[in-house]
């Protein structure tokens, strides 16, 4: 089982190597791929050093699967070349997510949409993944009409440059800026670029990707996405309107039985999910589950996950695990 990780030296790429190790994915040969300036550098995987190679070299080495986390332009250029060589690509960028010919997959939600013919598979946006994992079982039970979500997203979602900016500001050091404004002791209500409708690209990703993954264009989703000075873990305040009436106890029970979801919801003891508790975990945590008292059939909740793991690396590796279990790799 030869596995290529494209973007192996980046924040998410490094996390992918960690997740592959922890989940004991049966890698017989790792092929780390990065930009030309990183070729020849060494990455360590399971205690062994592997030299970083170029994308051309990686294709020639014929991996069974290539997990991409190297940005949209790299994916657009190279994913088809890997796929043409018979290599299955799992892509973490936004390049292929809304392509109608490509599957957008969270294995617990819509893994059954995959077929052996899918050679480029899209990994959804981090903030979408953690939300749909919670929405899916509730949609099956109560049929979701509308979702209003506000996100509180960590700087690791931007990358190393943003992590450095936060830590520099915290220490009073002048340095390179990932954002147009300071992030420490601040909140920036912009993630990605603004579109003509006044929403950001990140906000529209949540709207469009949710419909595609859930397989239902009737679900209305409106989002406000916000960057906060937290090192890792995205949080979301989610308001969900159903078609059918519900009981709070049933919602807690449904979510408690959902694979990959952990309910942490005990207000009397001030127990609820926080980013620090989700750190380095693969599960999605949900709490603050309460009835919206301003309108019927509507519930509020708080959803937290490690954006580099379930929001990126873990979900990609889970897709590979799904394909492997089907003998499609």
């Amino acid at each position: 089982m030869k596995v290529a990780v494209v973007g192996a030296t980046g924040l998410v790429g490094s996390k992918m190597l960690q997740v592959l190790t922890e989940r004991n994915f049966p890698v017989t040969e790792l092929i780390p791929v990065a930009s030309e300036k990183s070729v020849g550098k060494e990455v360590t995987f399971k205690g062994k050093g592997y030299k970083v190679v170029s994308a051309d070299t990686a294709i020639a080495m014929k991996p069974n699967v290539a997990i991409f986390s190297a940005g949209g332009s790299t994916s657009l250029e190279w994913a088809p070349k890997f796929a043409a060589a018979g290599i299955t690509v799992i892509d973490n960028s936004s390049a292929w997510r809304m392509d109608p010919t490509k599957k957008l997959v969270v294995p617990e939600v819509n893994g059954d949409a995959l077929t052996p013919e899918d050679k480029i598979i899209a990994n959804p946006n981090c903030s979408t993944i953690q939300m749909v994992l919670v929405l899916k079982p509730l949609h099956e039970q109560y049929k979701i009409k509308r979702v209003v979500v506000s996100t509180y997203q960590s700087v690791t979602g931007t990358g190393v440059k943003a992590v450095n900016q936060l830590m520099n500001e915290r220490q009073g050091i002048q340095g390179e800026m990932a954002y147009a404004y300071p992030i420490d002791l601040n909140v920036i209500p912009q993630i990605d670029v603004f579109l003509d409708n006044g929403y950001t690209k990140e906000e529209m990703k949540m709207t469009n990707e949710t419909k595609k993954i859930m397989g239902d264009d009737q679900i209305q989703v409106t989002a406000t996405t916000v960057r906060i000075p937290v090192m890792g873990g995205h949080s979301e305040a989610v308001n969900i309107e159903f078609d059918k009436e519900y009981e709070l106890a049933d919602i807690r029970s449904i979510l408690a039985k959902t694979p990959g979801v952990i309910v942490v919801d005990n207000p009397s003891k001030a127990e609820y999910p926080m980013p620090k508790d989700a750190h380095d975990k693969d599960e999605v945590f949900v709490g603050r589950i309460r009835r919206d008292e301003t309108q019927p059939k509507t519930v509020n909740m708080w959803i937290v996950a490690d954006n580099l793991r379930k929001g990126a690396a873990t979900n990609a590796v889970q897709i590979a695990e799904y394909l492997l279990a089907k003998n499609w790799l």
Side-chain angles (χ1 to χ4, degrees):
M1 180 60 56
K2 291 185 185 180
V3 177
V5 175
V6 182
T9 56
L11 209 54
V12 176
S14 304
K15 192 62 70 173
M16 281 173 176
L17 298 179
Q18 182 187 333
V19 172
L20 286 165
T21 302
E22 288 175 10
R23 295 179 73 90
N24 279 319
F25 193 79
V27 181
T28 55
E29 184 181 350
L30 178 75
I31 304 171
V33 184
S35 62
E36 289 297 335
K37 68 173 189 280
S38 295
V39 169
K41 286 183 182 172
E42 199 169 85
V43 301
T44 304
F45 178 70
K46 292 192 171 180
K48 190 176 166 189
Y50 291 87
K51 285 268 196 297
V52 173
V53 301
S54 68
D56 271 326
T57 303
I59 292 171
M61 293 170 78
K62 297 210 176 309
N64 301 77
V65 62
I67 305 177
F68 274 61
S69 188
S73 58
T74 301
S75 295
L76 285 171
E77 181 184 355
W78 286 100
K81 294 177 182 177
F82 275 78
I87 302 157
T88 301
V89 172
I90 301 166
D91 181 46
N92 194 51
S93 80
S94 60
W96 304 99
R97 289 178 188 154
M98 295 314 297
D99 184 322
T101 67
K102 305 291 183 286
K103 307 286 171 58
L104 182 66
V105 175
V106 177
E108 302 95 327
V109 175
N110 65 335
D112 55 4
L114 290 168
T115 71
E117 284 70 50
D118 292 311
K119 283 299 174 191
I120 299 177
I121 301 161
N123 208 35
N125 187 37
C126 47
S127 46
T128 307
I129 288 174
Q130 65 187 72
M131 186 170 77
V132 296
L133 206 60
V134 171
L135 294 184
K136 178 67 171 177
L138 300 178
H139 186 51
E140 286 174 352
Q141 189 70 32
Y142 304 111
K143 195 167 189 332
I144 294 171
K145 288 170 69 176
R146 182 170 186 254
V147 178
V148 183
V149 54
S150 297
T151 72
Y152 306 72
Q153 295 179 227
S154 76
V155 293
T156 53
T158 307
V160 174
K161 192 172 164 185
V163 172
N164 292 340
Q165 179 183 333
L166 175 60
M167 296 318 292
N168 283 341
E169 288 170 359
R170 197 147 284 190
Q171 294 163 44
I173 298 167
Q174 287 290 322
E176 194 179 11
M177 302 272 285
Y179 306 116
Y181 302 100
I183 184 63
D184 193 30
L185 301 176
N186 194 26
V187 163
I188 302 173
Q190 176 189 354
I191 298 180
D192 214 324
V193 295
F194 280 102
L195 304 172
D196 290 343
N197 63 357
Y199 286 81
T200 65
K201 207 168 170 185
E202 183 87 355
E203 288 158 356
M204 294 315 299
K205 280 179 194 172
M206 291 194 78
T207 297
N208 298 326
E209 290 179 23
T210 298
K211 293 180 181 188
K212 183 171 178 178
I213 297 163
M214 303 273 284
D216 190 341
D217 282 336
Q218 298 305 304
I219 300 173
Q220 298 299 302
V221 182
T222 186
T224 303
T225 59
V226 180
R227 191 70 69 191
I228 63 169
V230 165
M231 192 54 76
H234 289 352
S235 306
E236 299 171 348
V238 187
N239 177 275
I240 310 162
E241 182 185 355
F242 299 118
D243 194 41
K244 300 174 185 166
E245 194 45 83
Y246 67 88
E247 294 296 331
L248 277 175
D250 292 338
I251 284 187
R252 288 194 184 95
S253 173
I254 288 165
L255 293 176
K257 292 174 189 161
T258 300
V261 173
I262 294 177
V263 176
V264 182
D265 191 27
N266 190 351
S268 66
K269 292 187 176 174
E271 291 173 352
Y272 31 70
M274 291 180 287
K276 70 178 187 64
D277 302 320
H279 179 66
D280 249 356
K281 306 239 175 40
D282 288 331
E283 295 81 11
V284 170
F285 299 82
V286 59
R288 298 295 321 279
I289 301 167
R290 63 212 188 275
R291 190 172 285 278
D292 181 341
E293 297 184 341
T294 66
Q295 67 170 14
K297 305 175 190 170
T298 305
V299 67
N300 284 304
M301 58 184 68
W302 176 252
I303 302 170
V304 177
D306 185 321
N307 54 295
L308 294 183
R309 289 188 67 104
K310 184 55 182 170
T314 302
N315 198 72
V317 173
Q318 284 177 310
I319 293 171
E321 289 171 345
Y322 185 94
L323 299 173
L324 188 62
K326 296 277 190 184
N327 291 316
W328 293 343
L329 288 183

